[in-house]
């Protein structure tokens, strides 16, 4: 069992004990252990009780519970609590901002045991009348329910790509040609249908083959003779496998990979892209755009009409690719909450062919992530100096930090410490519930700070889990232009923040964008692939990609920027 699996069970136990109003002292023992162990690097599953009790927040009784979980894979006490809790009440745990106490009240006072009943109670105004709730809480619950509804049956692009890969492996041996199409091909950041095209001239036997593939769970009602619909075992999202004749597969691949608004675009030929796609004798994608009298658009950009506006100013070959990336700037190491050392991360960057590795561990305020105080900053920088001395001229580690933007917009170090970094990524991590005015002002203050080099994950959103705080994107981007601050495209598939829809506006204001993996592990560095995908979707050119700068250019840029601080 992994640490996070163990921590999840402890946390759930604590929450259920609170829900069932059990002994407050014991309840707190579970929740505080879960809180303290969340970022622990100790190997929980393999520690004996007398070692476990030495960890912060772990008392003797919890230590025995951890052993029980590690040895048996379950916790009897938790199973008993679960047996007394309706499934719908557990669902309420997924509502952001609704605490356990309030969930208990809704259950006991209004008898609510499902999300549907909760929604109804809110709509009828009954929730607002409970003591301690009020209209504002009721509205918040309704908004959160709506958000949950929208996320249902969707996965992030990393999981969708993984599923498409599994399906390709499973199906390719059986058919002449299998193609990933739809949302996965155009690199949508959230996917509700994983779609593949299967070439066949014999749909009946193809369908028989599909029904024999293990892990494919058919939905008979939604399927038809040419379309297998259902799910891949273990994934809560639709799978669609379409059977297409050999002479139609190119045409269908084009049509099914583009979103509807893109296909409706009418070119100089007078017909829509969709009409042309259906009638063109040459079904290659290049030929279809040409015949429609429209510029060629890469698959990632086939979302709407934006791509055609972009194409009046740019060509497809200006778009950034993975091979254009020269380095990486927002990463974590074991100094804060990363899993690998600075040296290991840097070595992997060299393996990937990158020429610089920027470390931006968490700052002092982020105590939950083992953030660095000024003294540990100096120690880390000494370690980096020593490593750099061994690299020669072809590779370099840059000394950065991910400095927390505090509530008033200031950064969380004194000027002397801030001046010791090669660059600063400024990010919001705490107090995420803010009005648009408050959030925008907070970010503007951070952007105006002369030490801020890059604005990190500007909205704090977590795809399919948490909406970002609202910000005035134009004001933020304009300020970045005025203060020469680079904006991050956080490439973690959980974030992809700033949203791709704002990339073009930023480029037009002269603001560069940095594809930052926010890597906490070696493999996290590869998340830059997702950043490249959404960057391309938003029209990001290699010229405006900050970490496409060569090592020399990056060094010069960062040095000049530091010199500039003195003049301000
Ligand atoms: Zn961050
Ligand atoms: Zn980070």
């Amino acid at each position: 069992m992994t640490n996070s699996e163990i921590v999840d069970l402890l946390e759930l136990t604590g929450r259920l004990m609170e829900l069932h109003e059990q002994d407050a002292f014991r309840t707190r023992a579970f929740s505080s252990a879960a809180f303290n162990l969340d970022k622990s690097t100790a190997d929980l599953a393999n520690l004996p009780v007398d070692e476990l009790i030495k960890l912060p927040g772990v008392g003797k009784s919890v230590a025995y519970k951890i052993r029980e979980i590690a040895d048996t894979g379950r916790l009897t006490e938790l199973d008993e609590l679960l047996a007394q809790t309706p499934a719908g009440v557990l669902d309420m745990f997924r509502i952001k901002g609704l605490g356990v106490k309030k969930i208990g009240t809704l259950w006991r006072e209004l008898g609510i045991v499902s999300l549907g009943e909760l929604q109804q109670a809110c709509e009828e105004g009954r929730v607002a009348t409970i003591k301690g709730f009020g209209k504002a809480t009721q509205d918040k619950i309704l908004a959160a329910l709506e958000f949950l509804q929208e996320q249902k049956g969707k996965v992030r692009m990393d999981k969708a790509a993984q599923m498409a890969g599994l399906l390709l492996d499973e199906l390719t041996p059986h058919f002449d040609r299998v193609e990933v199409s739809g949302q996965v091909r155009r690199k949508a950041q959230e996917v509700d249908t994983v779609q593949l095209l299967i070439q066949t001239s014999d749909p009946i036997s193809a369908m028989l083959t599909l029904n024999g593939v293990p892990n494919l769970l058919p939905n008979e009602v939604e399927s038809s003779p040419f379309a297998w619909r259902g799910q891949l075992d273990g994934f809560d999202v639709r799978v669609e496998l379409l059977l297409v004749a050999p002479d139609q597969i190119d045409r269908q691949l084009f049509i099914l990979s583009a979103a509807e608004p893109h296909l409706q675009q009418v070119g100089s030929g007078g017909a829509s892209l969709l009409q042309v796609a259906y009638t063109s004798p040459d079904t290659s994608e290049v030929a279809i755009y040409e015949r429609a009298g429209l510029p060629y658009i890469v698959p990632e950009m086939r979302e709407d009409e934006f791509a055609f506006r972009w194409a009046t100013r740019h060509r497809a070959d200006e778009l950034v690719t993975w091979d254009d990336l020269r380095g990486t700037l927002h990463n974590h190491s074991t100094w804060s909450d990363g899993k690998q050392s600075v040296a290991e991360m840097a070595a992997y960057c060299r393996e990937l062919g990158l020429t610089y590795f920027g470390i931006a561990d968490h700052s002092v305020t982020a105590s939950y992530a083992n953030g660095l105080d000024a003294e540990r900053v100096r120690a880390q920088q000494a370690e980096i100096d020593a490593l750099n001395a061994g690299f020669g001229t072809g590779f370099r580690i840059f000394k950065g930090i991910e400095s927390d933007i505090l509530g008033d917009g200031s950064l969380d170090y004194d000027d002397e410490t801030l001046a010791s970094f090669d660059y600063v990524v400024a990010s919001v991590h705490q107090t995420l519930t803010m009005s648009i005015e408050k959030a925008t002002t907070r970010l503007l203050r951070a952007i105006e700070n002369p030490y801020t080099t890059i604005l990190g994950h500007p909205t704090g959103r977590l795809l399919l889990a948490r909406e970002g705080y609202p910000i005035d994107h134009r004001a933020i981007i304009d300020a970045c232009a005025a203060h020469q601050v680079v904006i991050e495209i956080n490439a973690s598939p959980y974030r992809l923040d700033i949203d791709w829809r704002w990339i073009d506006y930023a480029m037009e204001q002269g603001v560069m964008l940095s594809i930052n993996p926010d890597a906490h592990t070696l493999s996290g560095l590869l998340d830059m692939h997702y950043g490249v995908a959404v960057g391309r979707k938003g029209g990001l050119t290699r010229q405006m990609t900050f970490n496409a700068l060569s090592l020399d250019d990056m060094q010069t840029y960062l040095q000049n920027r530091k010199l500039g601080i003195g003049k301000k």
Side-chain angles (χ1 to χ4, degrees), residues 540-558:
L540 178 62
T541 61
R542 95 176 41 83
Q543 210 197 342
M544 292 304 282
T545 304
F546 190 50
N547 54 321
L549 290 181
S550 70
L551 174 58
D552 278 353
D553 288 347
M554 183 59 76
Q555 296 207 71
T556 311
Y557 180 99
L558 295 178

PDB file of all heavy atoms in Angstrom, residues 540-558:
ATOM      1  N   LEU A 540       0.420  28.866 -29.387  1.00  0.00           N
ATOM      2  CA  LEU A 540       1.719  29.297 -28.860  1.00  0.00           C
ATOM      3  C   LEU A 540       2.843  29.016 -29.861  1.00  0.00           C
ATOM      4  O   LEU A 540       3.038  27.884 -30.302  1.00  0.00           O
ATOM      5  CB  LEU A 540       2.012  28.579 -27.533  1.00  0.00           C
ATOM      6  CG  LEU A 540       3.366  28.895 -26.884  1.00  0.00           C
ATOM      7  CD1 LEU A 540       3.478  30.380 -26.531  1.00  0.00           C
ATOM      8  CD2 LEU A 540       3.584  28.033 -25.639  1.00  0.00           C
ATOM      9  N   THR A 541       3.594  30.064 -30.194  1.00  0.00           N
ATOM     10  CA  THR A 541       4.711  29.906 -31.126  1.00  0.00           C
ATOM     11  C   THR A 541       5.985  29.598 -30.357  1.00  0.00           C
ATOM     12  O   THR A 541       6.091  29.918 -29.168  1.00  0.00           O
ATOM     13  CB  THR A 541       4.929  31.197 -31.932  1.00  0.00           C
ATOM     14  OG1 THR A 541       5.253  32.249 -31.016  1.00  0.00           O
ATOM     15  CG2 THR A 541       3.683  31.562 -32.720  1.00  0.00           C
ATOM     16  N   ARG A 542       6.941  29.004 -31.054  1.00  0.00           N
ATOM     17  CA  ARG A 542       8.222  28.706 -30.383  1.00  0.00           C
ATOM     18  C   ARG A 542       8.900  30.006 -29.955  1.00  0.00           C
ATOM     19  O   ARG A 542       9.530  30.081 -28.918  1.00  0.00           O
ATOM     20  CB  ARG A 542       9.091  27.836 -31.295  1.00  0.00           C
ATOM     21  CG  ARG A 542      10.103  28.484 -32.180  1.00  0.00           C
ATOM     22  CD  ARG A 542      10.935  27.452 -32.934  1.00  0.00           C
ATOM     23  NE  ARG A 542      10.159  26.310 -33.440  1.00  0.00           N
ATOM     24  CZ  ARG A 542       9.461  26.308 -34.577  1.00  0.00           C
ATOM     25  NH1 ARG A 542       9.402  27.394 -35.334  1.00  0.00           N
ATOM     26  NH2 ARG A 542       8.802  25.238 -34.953  1.00  0.00           N
ATOM     27  N   GLN A 543       8.685  31.042 -30.767  1.00  0.00           N
ATOM     28  CA  GLN A 543       9.320  32.323 -30.478  1.00  0.00           C
ATOM     29  C   GLN A 543       8.849  32.944 -29.164  1.00  0.00           C
ATOM     30  O   GLN A 543       9.602  33.633 -28.503  1.00  0.00           O
ATOM     31  CB  GLN A 543       9.009  33.274 -31.634  1.00  0.00           C
ATOM     32  CG  GLN A 543      10.081  34.289 -31.868  1.00  0.00           C
ATOM     33  CD  GLN A 543       9.558  35.446 -32.706  1.00  0.00           C
ATOM     34  OE1 GLN A 543       8.523  35.337 -33.371  1.00  0.00           O
ATOM     35  NE2 GLN A 543      10.276  36.553 -32.674  1.00  0.00           N
ATOM     36  N   MET A 544       7.595  32.686 -28.786  1.00  0.00           N
ATOM     37  CA  MET A 544       7.059  33.260 -27.552  1.00  0.00           C
ATOM     38  C   MET A 544       7.090  32.276 -26.380  1.00  0.00           C
ATOM     39  O   MET A 544       6.502  32.523 -25.339  1.00  0.00           O
ATOM     40  CB  MET A 544       5.632  33.772 -27.787  1.00  0.00           C
ATOM     41  CG  MET A 544       5.555  34.971 -28.714  1.00  0.00           C
ATOM     42  SD  MET A 544       6.584  36.366 -28.157  1.00  0.00           S
ATOM     43  CE  MET A 544       5.533  37.029 -26.851  1.00  0.00           C
ATOM     44  N   THR A 545       7.764  31.137 -26.579  1.00  0.00           N
ATOM     45  CA  THR A 545       7.862  30.149 -25.503  1.00  0.00           C
ATOM     46  C   THR A 545       9.141  30.408 -24.715  1.00  0.00           C
ATOM     47  O   THR A 545      10.244  30.288 -25.251  1.00  0.00           O
ATOM     48  CB  THR A 545       7.874  28.722 -26.089  1.00  0.00           C
ATOM     49  OG1 THR A 545       6.706  28.552 -26.888  1.00  0.00           O
ATOM     50  CG2 THR A 545       7.882  27.676 -24.976  1.00  0.00           C
ATOM     51  N   PHE A 546       8.966  30.765 -23.438  1.00  0.00           N
ATOM     52  CA  PHE A 546      10.102  31.185 -22.625  1.00  0.00           C
ATOM     53  C   PHE A 546      11.156  30.092 -22.535  1.00  0.00           C
ATOM     54  O   PHE A 546      12.339  30.324 -22.739  1.00  0.00           O
ATOM     55  CB  PHE A 546       9.590  31.566 -21.233  1.00  0.00           C
ATOM     56  CG  PHE A 546      10.599  32.240 -20.358  1.00  0.00           C
ATOM     57  CD1 PHE A 546      11.344  33.320 -20.822  1.00  0.00           C
ATOM     58  CD2 PHE A 546      10.779  31.824 -19.047  1.00  0.00           C
ATOM     59  CE1 PHE A 546      12.263  33.966 -19.997  1.00  0.00           C
ATOM     60  CE2 PHE A 546      11.694  32.459 -18.218  1.00  0.00           C
ATOM     61  CZ  PHE A 546      12.435  33.527 -18.694  1.00  0.00           C
ATOM     62  N   ASN A 547      10.736  28.852 -22.243  1.00  0.00           N
ATOM     63  CA  ASN A 547      11.734  27.793 -22.068  1.00  0.00           C
ATOM     64  C   ASN A 547      12.140  27.140 -23.391  1.00  0.00           C
ATOM     65  O   ASN A 547      12.743  26.069 -23.396  1.00  0.00           O
ATOM     66  CB  ASN A 547      11.290  26.741 -21.048  1.00  0.00           C
ATOM     67  CG  ASN A 547       9.949  26.132 -21.335  1.00  0.00           C
ATOM     68  OD1 ASN A 547       9.024  26.815 -21.773  1.00  0.00           O
ATOM     69  ND2 ASN A 547       9.816  24.841 -21.098  1.00  0.00           N
ATOM     70  N   ALA A 548      11.845  27.844 -24.513  1.00  0.00           N
ATOM     71  CA  ALA A 548      12.469  27.461 -25.780  1.00  0.00           C
ATOM     72  C   ALA A 548      13.724  28.322 -25.998  1.00  0.00           C
ATOM     73  O   ALA A 548      14.452  28.124 -26.972  1.00  0.00           O
ATOM     74  CB  ALA A 548      11.491  27.635 -26.940  1.00  0.00           C
ATOM     75  N   LEU A 549      13.968  29.279 -25.091  1.00  0.00           N
ATOM     76  CA  LEU A 549      15.208  30.057 -25.181  1.00  0.00           C
ATOM     77  C   LEU A 549      16.390  29.126 -24.970  1.00  0.00           C
ATOM     78  O   LEU A 549      16.333  28.223 -24.131  1.00  0.00           O
ATOM     79  CB  LEU A 549      15.237  31.152 -24.104  1.00  0.00           C
ATOM     80  CG  LEU A 549      14.285  32.344 -24.240  1.00  0.00           C
ATOM     81  CD1 LEU A 549      14.497  33.313 -23.068  1.00  0.00           C
ATOM     82  CD2 LEU A 549      14.488  33.069 -25.565  1.00  0.00           C
ATOM     83  N   SER A 550      17.462  29.368 -25.711  1.00  0.00           N
ATOM     84  CA  SER A 550      18.672  28.570 -25.533  1.00  0.00           C
ATOM     85  C   SER A 550      19.265  28.866 -24.161  1.00  0.00           C
ATOM     86  O   SER A 550      18.904  29.861 -23.515  1.00  0.00           O
ATOM     87  CB  SER A 550      19.692  28.927 -26.614  1.00  0.00           C
ATOM     88  OG  SER A 550      20.180  30.236 -26.362  1.00  0.00           O
ATOM     89  N   LEU A 551      20.171  28.015 -23.711  1.00  0.00           N
ATOM     90  CA  LEU A 551      20.813  28.231 -22.415  1.00  0.00           C
ATOM     91  C   LEU A 551      21.457  29.616 -22.343  1.00  0.00           C
ATOM     92  O   LEU A 551      21.274  30.350 -21.370  1.00  0.00           O
ATOM     93  CB  LEU A 551      21.853  27.129 -22.157  1.00  0.00           C
ATOM     94  CG  LEU A 551      22.718  27.285 -20.909  1.00  0.00           C
ATOM     95  CD1 LEU A 551      21.875  27.379 -19.646  1.00  0.00           C
ATOM     96  CD2 LEU A 551      23.691  26.115 -20.785  1.00  0.00           C
ATOM     97  N   ASP A 552      22.180  29.995 -23.389  1.00  0.00           N
ATOM     98  CA  ASP A 552      22.823  31.312 -23.398  1.00  0.00           C
ATOM     99  C   ASP A 552      21.798  32.426 -23.279  1.00  0.00           C
ATOM    100  O   ASP A 552      21.957  33.361 -22.483  1.00  0.00           O
ATOM    101  CB  ASP A 552      23.601  31.514 -24.714  1.00  0.00           C
ATOM    102  CG  ASP A 552      24.973  30.853 -24.627  1.00  0.00           C
ATOM    103  OD1 ASP A 552      25.328  30.387 -23.517  1.00  0.00           O
ATOM    104  OD2 ASP A 552      25.671  30.799 -25.656  1.00  0.00           O
ATOM    105  N   ASP A 553      20.751  32.330 -24.102  1.00  0.00           N
ATOM    106  CA  ASP A 553      19.736  33.387 -24.090  1.00  0.00           C
ATOM    107  C   ASP A 553      19.019  33.444 -22.743  1.00  0.00           C
ATOM    108  O   ASP A 553      18.675  34.531 -22.254  1.00  0.00           O
ATOM    109  CB  ASP A 553      18.725  33.173 -25.219  1.00  0.00           C
ATOM    110  CG  ASP A 553      19.340  33.475 -26.585  1.00  0.00           C
ATOM    111  OD1 ASP A 553      20.440  34.076 -26.606  1.00  0.00           O
ATOM    112  OD2 ASP A 553      18.743  33.096 -27.605  1.00  0.00           O
ATOM    113  N   MET A 554      18.785  32.290 -22.138  1.00  0.00           N
ATOM    114  CA  MET A 554      18.122  32.268 -20.836  1.00  0.00           C
ATOM    115  C   MET A 554      19.007  32.913 -19.776  1.00  0.00           C
ATOM    116  O   MET A 554      18.541  33.724 -18.977  1.00  0.00           O
ATOM    117  CB  MET A 554      17.758  30.824 -20.449  1.00  0.00           C
ATOM    118  CG  MET A 554      17.002  30.695 -19.129  1.00  0.00           C
ATOM    119  SD  MET A 554      15.435  31.607 -19.068  1.00  0.00           S
ATOM    120  CE  MET A 554      14.373  30.566 -20.067  1.00  0.00           C
ATOM    121  N   GLN A 555      20.300  32.582 -19.810  1.00  0.00           N
ATOM    122  CA  GLN A 555      21.219  33.196 -18.833  1.00  0.00           C
ATOM    123  C   GLN A 555      21.236  34.704 -18.989  1.00  0.00           C
ATOM    124  O   GLN A 555      21.172  35.441 -18.007  1.00  0.00           O
ATOM    125  CB  GLN A 555      22.653  32.665 -19.041  1.00  0.00           C
ATOM    126  CG  GLN A 555      22.764  31.191 -18.779  1.00  0.00           C
ATOM    127  CD  GLN A 555      24.171  30.805 -18.326  1.00  0.00           C
ATOM    128  OE1 GLN A 555      24.564  31.129 -17.218  1.00  0.00           O
ATOM    129  NE2 GLN A 555      24.907  30.120 -19.173  1.00  0.00           N
ATOM    130  N   THR A 556      21.324  35.156 -20.241  1.00  0.00           N
ATOM    131  CA  THR A 556      21.353  36.597 -20.491  1.00  0.00           C
ATOM    132  C   THR A 556      20.056  37.243 -20.017  1.00  0.00           C
ATOM    133  O   THR A 556      20.072  38.288 -19.360  1.00  0.00           O
ATOM    134  CB  THR A 556      21.538  36.863 -22.007  1.00  0.00           C
ATOM    135  OG1 THR A 556      22.629  36.061 -22.452  1.00  0.00           O
ATOM    136  CG2 THR A 556      21.796  38.312 -22.290  1.00  0.00           C
ATOM    137  N   TYR A 557      18.938  36.605 -20.343  1.00  0.00           N
ATOM    138  CA  TYR A 557      17.639  37.155 -19.957  1.00  0.00           C
ATOM    139  C   TYR A 557      17.562  37.319 -18.445  1.00  0.00           C
ATOM    140  O   TYR A 557      17.201  38.382 -17.933  1.00  0.00           O
ATOM    141  CB  TYR A 557      16.513  36.233 -20.441  1.00  0.00           C
ATOM    142  CG  TYR A 557      15.118  36.731 -20.083  1.00  0.00           C
ATOM    143  CD1 TYR A 557      14.341  37.414 -21.018  1.00  0.00           C
ATOM    144  CD2 TYR A 557      14.575  36.526 -18.805  1.00  0.00           C
ATOM    145  CE1 TYR A 557      13.074  37.885 -20.689  1.00  0.00           C
ATOM    146  CE2 TYR A 557      13.322  36.990 -18.466  1.00  0.00           C
ATOM    147  CZ  TYR A 557      12.571  37.662 -19.411  1.00  0.00           C
ATOM    148  OH  TYR A 557      11.318  38.131 -19.082  1.00  0.00           O
ATOM    149  N   LEU A 558      17.917  36.255 -17.715  1.00  0.00           N
ATOM    150  CA  LEU A 558      17.774  36.294 -16.258  1.00  0.00           C
ATOM    151  C   LEU A 558      18.755  37.297 -15.638  1.00  0.00           C
ATOM    152  O   LEU A 558      18.413  38.011 -14.698  1.00  0.00           O
ATOM    153  CB  LEU A 558      17.966  34.887 -15.663  1.00  0.00           C
ATOM    154  CG  LEU A 558      16.897  33.853 -16.077  1.00  0.00           C
ATOM    155  CD1 LEU A 558      17.213  32.480 -15.473  1.00  0.00           C
ATOM    156  CD2 LEU A 558      15.489  34.295 -15.670  1.00  0.00           C
TER     157      LEU A 558
END
